[in-house]
Amino acid sequence: MKYYQKFFYDACIIAQKRDNRPFIHEGDTTCPFCLANESSLEKIIDESWQSDELFARIVSNRYPVTSEERAKGLHDVIIDTHNHTFHPKDFTIQHWEILLCMIQKRWHAIMTLPNIRLIEVFKNYGEDAGASISHSHWQLIALEVIPYTMQIKYQAYNSLHTQCCYLCSNIHKQEGSVIWEDSLWEIWIPPVPQFPYEVWLVPKKHYQHYGELSLEEIKELGKLMKYLLQVYHQIKSQYAFNICFMSGDLKKEYPYHFHIKLMLRIGKVAGFEIATGCHIISIAPDMYAEQIKKILKGMYK
């Protein structure tokens, strides 16, 4: 495994063993995330099993993109249900809380490692979102280096403000980006979405990374995650999606405002997007903003 970020403006990790990972779909009885096959799992790092419906487990990834030699870091899998076909939109709010608290507990443990610079938590659900196993799960990758693309993202973020963080300012409200808010969180429609129906969950307090959130904020986050996935279900009954935790570097060399991206995967990333970094989406942000607002309003009655 090797990590490269010196050629022009790109970065990549060479992880040849990833080509051996299984592709497991609904109905496959060999899924390693199902309880009947748990003996095939790598090391179990943490788990919570309060009942059949309140289950979460973190294990080492059998096919990691990282290693102790090159691309140094860690690669975990977070199994959020023992039911092969259970969709996260149907998790209870308590289930979401258990899951998100376990992720933060793991985050805090990794932060104690001296050389880790970046932790990325993400969820690929469905083949169109990049999932090789249909059983619901997340991944956590921790790196000793910050990929060049993320460095550019941090620099662009900081160029948007001088005295105040852009996400903390009132500029976005003047621009109409916020479609829902409570005392702790805002739901944004990003001004330049990469995918149709992309939304951001932005904490009102300024945090550098996920490890800094309070328990109260995590509880509310679980509720919002559940509701937004139910919104996606109403928009498109069969769908793939990604969730990405957008955190700053742990050493705080690059100031950043932690937020979470949810992206409904409609359409494909093709040659133009790969070549230019410019994404083509099929619906205007202001149009889907109104659609999401209307559905959320009905849920909060």
Side-chain angles (χ1 to χ4, degrees):
M1 300 180 187
K2 299 180 180 179
Y3 177 82
Y4 296 98
Q5 66 171 32
K6 295 182 179 179
F7 186 77
F8 294 110
Y9 300 106
D10 295 324
C12 72
I13 294 174
I14 308 301
Q16 293 173 305
K17 290 184 179 180
R18 294 283 290 170
D19 201 37
N20 298 323
R21 69 190 190 277
F23 286 79
I24 296 174
H25 310 292
E26 289 189 17
D28 194 320
T29 59
T30 65
C31 173
F33 301 159
C34 291
L35 294 182
N37 305 314
E38 63 182 353
S39 61
S40 64
L41 293 174
E42 291 293 290
K43 176 184 176 183
I44 296 176
I45 298 168
D46 195 7
E47 64 181 355
S48 176
W49 196 339
Q50 298 186 21
S51 70
D52 286 347
E53 298 301 325
L54 300 177
F55 170 87
R57 171 181 280 167
I58 300 178
V59 302
S60 298
N61 196 312
R62 174 164 283 190
Y63 306 96
V65 304
T66 59
S67 74
E68 295 182 358
E69 298 175 358
R70 300 180 185 273
K72 294 182 178 180
L74 299 167
H75 190 172
D76 297 341
V77 175
I78 303 154
I79 305 167
D80 53 14
T81 175
H82 66 76
N83 187 322
H84 190 78
T85 59
F86 200 24
H87 195 289
K89 71 176 176 60
D90 298 319
F91 292 177
T92 65
I93 293 173
Q94 185 182 6
H95 190 162
W96 274 103
E97 180 185 339
I98 290 170
L99 169 65
L100 294 172
C101 285
M102 179 176 286
I103 292 173
Q104 191 186 61
K105 178 183 175 184
R106 178 60 173 157
W107 190 292
H108 288 159
I110 293 173
M111 284 181 63
T112 65
L113 303 177
N115 296 322
I116 296 297
R117 295 291 308 278
L118 179 73
I119 302 175
E120 174 57 35
V121 172
F122 59 98
K123 184 176 186 66
N124 306 329
Y125 191 94
E127 287 187 48
D128 288 342
S132 59
I133 296 178
S134 62
H135 190 132
S136 180
H137 65 284
W138 302 62
Q139 296 182 65
L140 181 154
I141 296 177
L143 297 173
E144 291 190 1
V145 296
I146 299 174
Y148 189 82
T149 306
M150 287 303 300
Q151 293 181 36
I152 295 300
K153 189 181 295 291
Y154 294 152
Q155 291 167 6
Y157 161 83
N158 282 287
S159 71
L160 291 172
H161 63 86
T162 54
Q163 296 180 337
C164 178
C165 162
Y166 174 75
L167 299 191
C168 291
S169 70
N170 288 321
I171 297 174
H172 51 274
K173 291 187 176 180
Q174 296 168 8
E175 294 174 345
S177 300
V178 177
I179 61 169
W180 189 92
E181 64 180 312
D182 60 20
S183 61
L184 301 174
W185 291 88
E186 295 175 344
I187 298 178
W188 286 36
I189 302 300
V192 185
Q194 291 181 303
F195 297 97
Y197 299 99
E198 178 180 342
V199 296
W200 292 3
L201 280 165
V202 182
K204 287 192 169 181
K205 288 186 179 180
H206 185 98
Y207 296 117
Q208 177 81 356
H209 56 74
Y210 181 67
E212 297 177 337
L213 293 183
S214 69
L215 177 59
E216 185 181 10
E217 287 160 330
I218 288 177
K219 288 180 177 180
E220 185 63 23
L221 173 61
K223 182 191 300 183
L224 295 176
M225 289 275 208
K226 175 182 175 68
Y227 287 172
L228 284 170
L229 292 181
Q230 289 178 340
V231 168
Y232 280 174
H233 180 70
Q234 291 193 39
I235 292 171
K236 187 175 175 65
S237 59
Q238 299 293 325
Y239 62 94
F241 65 91
N242 297 107
I243 301 176
C244 300
F245 285 24
M246 305 302 296
S247 284
D249 71 292
L250 299 182
K251 306 300 182 184
K252 298 189 177 181
E253 178 182 345
Y254 299 96
Y256 199 62
H257 189 128
F258 168 75
H259 58 285
I260 299 173
K261 293 184 178 184
L262 284 79
M263 292 159 285
L264 185 57
R265 295 300 298 270
I266 298 175
K268 301 289 186 180
V269 174
F272 181 78
E273 288 87 351
I274 294 170
T276 65
C278 177
H279 289 247
I280 302 170
I281 64 172
S282 57
I283 181 170
D286 58 340
M287 292 180 63
Y288 77 73
E290 290 303 316
Q291 190 175 1
I292 292 175
K293 282 170 65 175
K294 183 178 180 180
I295 298 173
L296 277 174
K297 186 178 179 180
M299 291 179 177
Y300 274 90
K301 283 183 178 179

